[in-house]
Amino acid sequence: MRTADIVILDFGSQYTQLIARRLREQGVYAELIPFNTSLNDIKAKEPKGIILSGGPASVYAKDAYFSDEGIFELGIPILGICYGMQLIAHHFGASVVAAKEKEYGKAQIFFKKEHELFKDTKDGQVVWMSHSDKVENLPEGFEVIAYSENSEYCAYGDDERKIYALQFHPEVAHSTFGNTILKNFAKYICKCESTWNMGSFAKLQSQKIKNLVGDDKVLCAVSGGVDSSVVAALLGSCIKDNLIVVFVDNGLLRKDEAKHVQETFKTRLGINLISIDASETFLSRLKGVTDPEQKRKIIGNTFIEIFDKEAAKHTDVKYLAQGTLYSDVIESSVAGASKTIKSHHNVGGLPKDMKFKLIEPLREIFKDEVRALGLELGLSRDLVFRHPFPGPGLAIRIMGEVTEDRLELLRKADVILRQELKSTGWYDKTWQAFCVLLNVHSVGVMGDNRTYENAVCLRVVDASDGMTASFSRLPYEFLENVSRRIINEVEGINRVVYDISSKPPATIEWE
Ligand code: XMP
């Protein structure tokens, strides 16, 4: 069964996900897979085309990343982008060297010949380059399609083997006709049709899950957030009675969150939750722990232990379903060649000897796509447009040790921020908003007395998929109001600051 029109081998470029996004926007289902996926696994997906993404490595370096060379013999059209382009050159015997002039940013390209890859695009179009290596000579059997001032071999290809290579990044918005070039590859070279949409994605995933699960049971852990709710709804629609939905209160949730989740599932989704209060276990294991990665791993392991225990109470539970997204996968760097940023608890934080097999139907898509899927499955807008909340919860928003007292302090500040966002309409205009409890004390004056209390930081960001973010330009009056309320109403906090860092280089969460 074909599971992807086009597979994209991910060599670690920060733009890889955009390639998939651009193709899906045109109705072509593209799936990102690690660069070292086995040839058999690639073949099993029956793709009509393969794209080799960009990446930070050099093909001539000792630690270069190579995919299975068998891909070049499959007879499936291939498009290499940046690192992928150099990989093609290297594979077919051309030399790739460090360029004297590194090329970053805009460049103009000119056609050497007319080609369907560039159909409906303009000679002299602007493209976006980001490379420090260059292809020195053309591999045998290939022809130049386009060149730039600095790159003689900006686009080249072999129409017989249907292998094409681009030095620039068509997926970024600065490449004026980039979308058209990707569409042309899919439509004219791979012969893909524009039939994909969220409805077809839901159907395909349901079919895959049904085939995989058979009569076994699936434990689905929900947090009340968008991702796990969408997974539960998707599973509920296809495996019905074989689904066991579990909600674990880890003691690291926002105020009244546990109650809210139970109500939502029961009344809105008609799913009966098994609720487990494990707050004492989580908090006792986090005692004295200050290192962010250690916190994440402890939380991940404890979750699995609790799921294991719950599963033992039912027969035939073989699978654990999670709402892992592509952005979680790539930041935990299990997807391929990118560097580990942090262990997302539902990806990098899982124990190696876990008994369950994982089902992660959202692993290939991004938050905004998950939201579209949620609407497609009939979830309420209120649930679908909730701000993301991380699996490790407030533990990664408390700098230093997580204690019951500090959790309470953070919850009180957090409620005020959320109340103000909702009452002013800013909640729906921002991607995510929360408070971070800092591990610094500062001096203040309240009435006529000196105080020496905690500081909280407000983190409010705009983003479209969480991969990049900028701080929200909230009005000063809003910030002033939230600050005043927190300091007046929450005993133990005497200072409020606003985080104005963007991602990258910062991340959205503080740990
Ligand atoms: P960062 O902090 O990595 O966050 O810029 C990007 C988005 O992911 C959320 N996040 C997590 N979600 N488990 C999750 O389910 C995690 O371990 C985790 N860490 C971060 C974060 O809230 C933001 O929306």
Side-chain angles (χ1 to χ4, degrees):
M1 183 174 75
R2 167 162 301 123
T3 56
D5 289 331
I6 293 199
V7 293
I8 302 163
L9 300 192
D10 183 3
F11 288 92
S13 151
Q14 45 178 321
Y15 309 116
T16 307
Q17 77 282 358
L18 283 179
I19 307 173
R21 170 68 57 86
R22 300 285 173 252
L23 288 164
R24 287 183 211 149
E25 280 165 4
Q26 328 231 20
V28 172
Y29 186 56
E31 184 182 334
L32 284 164
I33 53 175
F35 70 94
N36 52 2
T37 304
S38 75
L39 196 60
N40 278 340
D41 286 352
I42 296 176
K43 280 202 295 203
K45 294 183 182 294
E46 296 181 25
K48 293 181 175 176
I50 298 174
I51 293 182
L52 312 178
S53 84
S58 290
V59 286
Y60 51 79
K62 261 203 221 120
D63 56 352
Y65 304 120
F66 295 110
S67 48
D68 190 316
E69 299 204 329
I71 57 167
F72 296 108
E73 312 303 326
L74 292 175
I76 299 173
I78 293 180
L79 176 69
I81 294 173
C82 201
Y83 180 82
M85 175 249 212
Q86 290 152 14
L87 203 70
I88 291 173
H90 181 78
H91 176 80
F92 289 99
S95 76
V96 178
V97 295
K100 276 199 204 91
E101 312 238 341
K102 302 187 188 327
E103 225 182 342
Y104 296 105
K106 286 180 185 173
Q108 234 188 331
I109 59 163
F110 303 94
F111 298 153
K112 184 89 181 241
K113 63 177 274 194
E114 232 177 74
H115 199 278
E116 53 190 358
L117 200 55
F118 288 92
K119 196 172 151 61
D120 303 325
T121 76
K122 282 206 179 101
D123 196 19
Q125 66 192 270
V126 170
V127 297
W128 204 78
M129 301 274 193
S130 174
H131 64 109
S132 50
D133 290 344
K134 69 184 266 186
V135 172
E136 250 193 339
N137 53 325
L138 203 59
E140 224 180 282
F142 286 80
E143 266 187 300
V144 177
I145 305 173
Y147 61 94
S148 74
E149 200 183 329
N150 279 329
S151 279
E152 211 179 322
Y153 312 118
C154 210
Y156 59 87
D158 173 356
D159 289 327
E160 209 146 287
R161 285 177 290 195
K162 298 208 178 303
I163 298 178
Y164 300 92
L166 303 175
Q167 179 63 84
F168 58 92
H169 287 269
E171 68 275 24
V172 305
H174 303 291
S175 291
T176 344
F177 288 98
N179 282 357
T180 315
I181 296 167
L182 288 171
K183 184 181 99 189
N184 290 344
F185 174 68
K187 185 170 174 184
Y188 300 116
I189 296 167
C190 306
K191 312 284 183 219
C192 295
E193 280 161 35
S194 296
T195 52
W196 186 83
N197 56 37
M198 266 307 155
S200 60
F201 178 79
K203 260 196 220 136
L204 178 72
Q205 290 300 326
S206 300
Q207 199 53 49
K208 270 209 240 176
I209 294 167
K210 263 199 224 159
N211 292 350
L212 179 76
V213 172
D215 291 329
D216 289 318
K217 292 211 159 60
V218 181
L219 195 77
C220 177
V222 295
S223 63
V226 190
D227 310 338
S228 54
S229 303
V230 169
V231 171
L234 182 66
L235 287 164
S237 71
C238 66
I239 60 165
K240 303 207 160 57
D241 294 343
N242 286 337
L243 176 66
I244 301 163
V245 186
V246 178
F247 169 69
V248 177
D249 181 351
N250 57 7
L252 305 166
L253 300 171
R254 291 179 141 157
K255 193 167 171 5
D256 296 330
E257 187 70 0
K259 216 166 60 193
H260 178 80
V261 173
Q262 282 157 2
E263 272 168 21
T264 307
F265 269 78
K266 198 168 185 131
T267 54
R268 300 238 189 113
L269 300 178
I271 293 178
N272 266 327
L273 282 182
I274 297 176
S275 294
I276 302 169
D277 182 357
S279 35
E280 270 178 35
T281 314
F282 278 90
L283 292 186
S284 65
R285 291 188 187 173
L286 287 169
K287 205 162 185 232
V289 178
T290 54
D291 176 66
E293 277 297 279
Q294 216 187 331
K295 282 184 190 172
R296 284 173 172 273
K297 295 222 157 116
I298 290 173
I299 295 167
N301 286 340
T302 309
F303 265 122
I304 294 296
E305 205 182 295
I306 291 166
F307 299 150
D308 260 338
K309 259 199 220 148
E310 183 57 37
K313 296 182 191 160
H314 310 264
T315 47
D316 302 328
V317 178
K318 232 193 190 161
Y319 298 94
L320 175 70
Q322 293 203 130
T324 313
L325 308 189
Y326 188 71
S327 44
D328 306 335
V329 178
I330 195 154
E331 295 201 338
S332 292
S333 90
V334 287
S338 349
K339 302 235 180 300
T340 303
I341 308 295
K342 46 178 94 159
S343 305
H344 281 248
H345 94 92
N346 44 5
V347 188
L350 297 180
K352 292 201 173 61
D353 57 355
M354 192 175 75
K355 290 191 206 93
F356 301 112
K357 290 192 179 142
L358 282 179
I359 294 185
E360 297 176 313
L362 314 181
R363 205 180 158 86
E364 296 139 24
I365 60 177
F366 292 91
K367 192 70 149 206
D368 50 342
E369 294 175 309
V370 172
R371 290 195 160 122
L373 178 60
L375 293 177
E376 182 73 35
L377 292 167
L379 301 187
S380 69
R381 289 192 75 78
D382 189 35
L383 177 59
V384 164
F385 288 97
R386 286 192 92 184
H387 282 181
F389 185 71
L394 300 181
I396 56 167
R397 294 177 179 174
I398 291 179
M399 303 301 97
E401 189 182 358
V402 181
T403 63
E404 195 54 77
D405 290 349
R406 294 182 69 71
L407 279 163
E408 258 323 288
L409 211 54
L410 179 57
R411 282 191 189 109
K412 285 182 185 158
D414 184 70
V415 166
I416 295 174
L417 174 62
R418 271 197 301 161
Q419 279 172 352
E420 291 299 324
L421 284 164
K422 292 227 161 144
S423 69
T424 53
W426 276 99
Y427 185 88
D428 290 328
K429 289 190 246 167
T430 52
W431 161 269
Q432 203 168 6
F434 53 91
C435 293
V436 179
L437 183 61
L438 305 183
N439 46 352
V440 289
H441 279 64
S442 77
V443 173
V445 52
M446 266 182 175
D448 285 329
N449 292 321
R450 174 187 190 268
T451 58
Y452 187 57
E453 304 278 17
N454 292 282
V456 291
C457 175
L458 310 179
R459 181 68 165 145
V460 188
V461 295
D462 298 335
S464 71
D465 55 24
M467 295 291 288
T468 56
S470 55
F471 74 90
S472 302
R473 269 57 173 176
L474 295 170
Y476 282 149
E477 293 69 30
F478 175 91
L479 292 170
E480 186 181 18
N481 197 27
V482 173
S483 162
R484 187 183 42 75
R485 277 198 61 194
I486 291 178
I487 294 173
N488 282 346
E489 295 173 33
V490 186
E491 202 178 321
I493 295 176
N494 70 348
R495 193 171 293 267
V496 173
V497 295
Y498 190 47
D499 183 348
I500 53 167
S501 341
S502 54
K503 173 186 178 175
T507 53
I508 296 177
E509 303 287 347
W510 271 47
E511 288 192 341

